Amino acid sequence: MKQLTRALIAVLIVSFILIITVNKLNAAQGYSGGNTLTIFNWGDYIDQDLIKRFEKETGIKVIYETFDSNEAMLTKIEQGGTSYDIAIPSEYAIDKMIKEDLLIPIDHSKVPNLKYIDPRFMDLSFDPNNDYSVPYFWGTVGIAYNKAMIGDIEITSWDDLWDPKFKNQILIVDGAREVMGMSLNSLGYSLNDTDEKHLIEAKEKLDLLTPNIKAIVGDEIRMLLENGEAGIGLVWSGVAQEIMWENEDVEYVVPEEGSNLWFDNMVIPKTSKNPEAAHQFINFMLDPEIAAQNTEYVGYSTPNKGALKYMDEEVISDDRFYPDEELTAKLEVYENLGKRMLAYYNDLFLEFKMHPK
């Protein structure tokens, strides 16, 4: 009898340990709703002190994971293996997620701090009425250039990059939309153009830029420009700002022909096990003081008009990163062009990358 009792106790202990272990694993993977919030965001794209503050104020435990591309984020959410409560994709990915029915509508009554978002950044083409997303950060694509390296030259337009005096001095990001968009804008076309004749024209113009290109690179473009490995770079505004913090010789300009206006917005995937906490978190991040603190940490431009009064005047008056309405009107948000047209953009970009120097 004693042996049977010991065996039963042993089984109970092992079962208890297994339950605890499984629960911990589930929580770590975001499978548990309850009092847990699982956030999926770009790397180094939030002040971690704010997560601790949210946990302290709400008692909700945050599990935080990162991705390095919209495509990687989409793949994980489409697979549905992890129950993310919040994700922060870019505009064209949001459009795709809406069309593929991957998102829960935002209940605006639970996000009263939405009133602080600048109306310019609401109701955009990728999410009319902001039914599914709330602005987090925004920015532009432009040109970073090192004044000490290229001499007394002021760059103002995309066309300037084709000047032969910049031979082997330009780094560009490895992105089909950004590079094809640059060429389309330089020709006076929309960066969402789908006219194949215009796209071929843009690709042929890119071929002419080849002698000036030093390299087509990924995230390392920041380090290379910081260290003066090249005089000019096609970059996102947030990257440019980080470079400028490290190298005071670097300047940033949004070209006069126009460029891309990008957004990263907060969304609630249908995988969410805790949409209530997701709404709480979104509203928390929209509080003006919270948004200001997060903006100072991340360095990108905030869409939160209420946050501006808590920020350094020198920062918010810098029209390189907070362009005025006249320039903003020239900027375009990337549209989801559909699989066939995106594949065509990628094919042309690949041909350009293979073009002999």
Side-chain angles (χ1 to χ4, degrees), residues 3 9 12 21-22 31-32 84 117 119 151 153 183 185 191 194 202 243 268 303:
Q3 288 181 335
I9 291 172
L12 289 172
T21 303
V22 168
Y31 295 138
S32 143
Y84 295 111
I117 297 294
I153 301 170
S183 191
N185 275 163
L191 48 71
T194 56
I243 295 167
I268 305 176

Side-chain angles (χ1 to χ4, degrees), residues 9 17 61-62 69 80 87 95 99 114 134 139 178 233 268 279 285 312 344:
I9 291 172
I17 292 171
K61 169 70 178 172
V62 172
S69 72
D95 182 86
K99 287 185 169 66
L114 200 55
V134 171
E178 286 76 14
I268 305 176
H279 280 90
M285 293 306 296
D312 190 330
Y344 191 56

Side-chain angles (χ1 to χ4, degrees), residues 20-87:
I20 296 293
T21 303
V22 168
N23 283 341
K24 283 185 175 179
L25 284 171
N26 282 343
Q29 294 296 318
Y31 295 138
S32 143
N35 216 28
T36 300
L37 183 74
T38 306
I39 298 173
F40 202 22
N41 195 2
W42 299 86
D44 201 24
Y45 209 35
I46 195 169
D47 184 342
Q48 292 290 326
D49 287 343
L50 292 175
I51 290 181
K52 291 174 188 167
R53 179 172 166 180
F54 177 77
E55 289 179 320
K56 187 177 179 181
E57 290 183 5
T58 63
I60 296 169
K61 169 70 178 172
V62 172
I63 298 169
Y64 191 79
E65 293 185 24
T66 63
F67 55 84
D68 58 11
S69 72
N70 282 296
E71 289 66 31
M73 178 275 305
L74 278 166
T75 298
K76 282 200 84 172
I77 288 183
E78 285 169 341
Q79 289 173 345
T82 303
S83 52
Y84 295 111
D85 298 298
I86 295 272

